[in-house]
């Protein structure tokens, strides 16, 4: 099948689908999926993300379904599908970042811990936390020191998760400023 015949077949199926023909819509998605999969596989191979191919295909098909009303029937459908595929690939790459995952067990024996002796002591932490407002202090203790989740902390303090996030951000910013000013004095 040539690219132009594939394009005309896809366009005809999509036009029929937009007119309400569910069978044509199903045929369109079934016909588009292998092409999307091939593009995703090729791009993911380039960036070592082969495990994400099927997720990308599903995201593209879902986006096609959700955004099908944005396709202009007077224009080719192939570039529209290609743009959606490209955007989903970019989303995956952004989520992944440029990180390489190495299990800690693989390098644990080679790690060296140097004791610098300038870390914060428990009394220093308590002193710094005492300078925060009571709700901020409680949120920092709960999340940063006790390991509670934002959701658990929000429920316990009867706050929204968003309010807890904002208060935590502000508290950590204030603590950073306090720490920087205390290290300048030393």
């Amino acid at each position: 099948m040539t690219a132009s015949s594939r394009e005309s077949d896809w366009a005809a199926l999509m036009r029929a689908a937009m007119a309400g023909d569910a069978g044509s819509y199903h045929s369109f998605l079934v016909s588009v999926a292998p092409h999307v999969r091939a593009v995703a596989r090729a791009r993911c191979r380039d960036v070592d993300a082969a495990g994400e191919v099927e997720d990308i295909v599903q995201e593209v098909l879902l986006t096609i379904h959700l955004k099908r009303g944005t396709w202009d029937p007077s224009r080719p459908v192939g570039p529209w599908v290609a743009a959606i595929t490209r955007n989903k690939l970019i989303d995956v790459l952004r989520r992944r970042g440029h990180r390489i995952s190495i299990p800690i067990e693989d390098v644990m024996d080679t790690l060296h811990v140097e004791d610098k002796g300038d870390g914060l002591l428990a009394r220093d932490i308590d002193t710094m936390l005492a300078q925060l407002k009571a709700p901020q202090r409680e949120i920092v203790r709960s999340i940063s020191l006790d390991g509670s989740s934002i959701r658990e902390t929000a429920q316990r303090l009867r706050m929204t998760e968003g309010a807890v996030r904002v208060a935590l951000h502000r508290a950590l910013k204030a603590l950073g400023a306090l720490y920087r000013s205390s290290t300048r004095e030393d």
Side-chain angles (χ1 to χ4, degrees):
M1 174 180 281
T2 66
S4 64
S5 68
R6 180 179 63 209
E7 171 64 39
S8 62
D9 288 349
W10 285 357
L13 289 170
M14 189 64 162
R15 282 187 196 95
M18 291 181 75
D21 184 353
S24 292
Y25 186 55
H26 175 76
S27 296
F28 171 76
L29 293 176
V30 168
S31 177
V32 166
H35 175 72
V36 170
R37 187 173 290 109
V39 170
R41 188 175 294 124
R43 296 290 185 238
C44 286
R45 191 176 314 124
D46 292 343
V47 293
D48 195 30
E52 314 232 10
V53 171
E54 287 305 314
D55 291 341
I56 293 167
V57 172
Q58 293 305 312
E59 286 187 39
V60 169
L61 294 177
L62 179 61
T63 302
I64 287 171
H65 176 71
L66 295 173
K67 302 290 184 180
R68 66 187 181 272
T70 65
W71 176 63
D72 180 357
S74 66
R75 303 192 57 137
V77 74
W80 182 74
V81 170
I84 291 171
T85 304
R86 186 196 71 221
N87 291 339
K88 290 304 168 186
L89 282 162
I90 290 169
D91 290 347
V92 165
L93 295 176
R94 281 186 184 138
R95 281 193 302 260
R96 286 183 83 236
H98 293 288
R99 298 178 299 251
I100 298 173
S101 287
I102 300 173
I104 190 72
E105 295 81 22
D106 293 353
V107 294
M108 199 159 51
D109 294 335
T110 63
L111 297 176
H112 175 69
V113 177
E114 189 175 316
D115 185 15
K116 294 186 179 183
D118 64 351
L120 290 176
L121 300 173
R123 64 181 163 76
D124 294 333
I125 293 172
D126 290 337
T127 301
M128 292 178 87
L129 285 176
Q131 296 178 52
L132 295 176
K133 297 175 187 170
Q136 288 180 330
R137 185 173 45 244
E138 181 62 29
I139 289 169
V140 169
R141 278 195 188 284
S142 178
I143 295 169
S144 299
L145 300 177
D146 300 338
S148 298
S149 71
I150 289 178
R151 176 173 282 148
E152 293 166 341
T153 302
Q155 289 172 347
R156 189 169 48 77
L157 298 176
R158 293 188 174 96
M159 297 172 68
T160 66
E161 290 180 33
V164 169
R165 283 187 182 91
V166 168
L168 177 64
H169 173 75
R170 289 178 180 163
L172 293 176
K173 187 175 179 181
L175 285 173
L178 288 169
Y179 179 75
R180 282 188 296 278
S181 68
S182 73
T183 56
R184 280 189 219 127
E185 295 169 2
D186 294 338

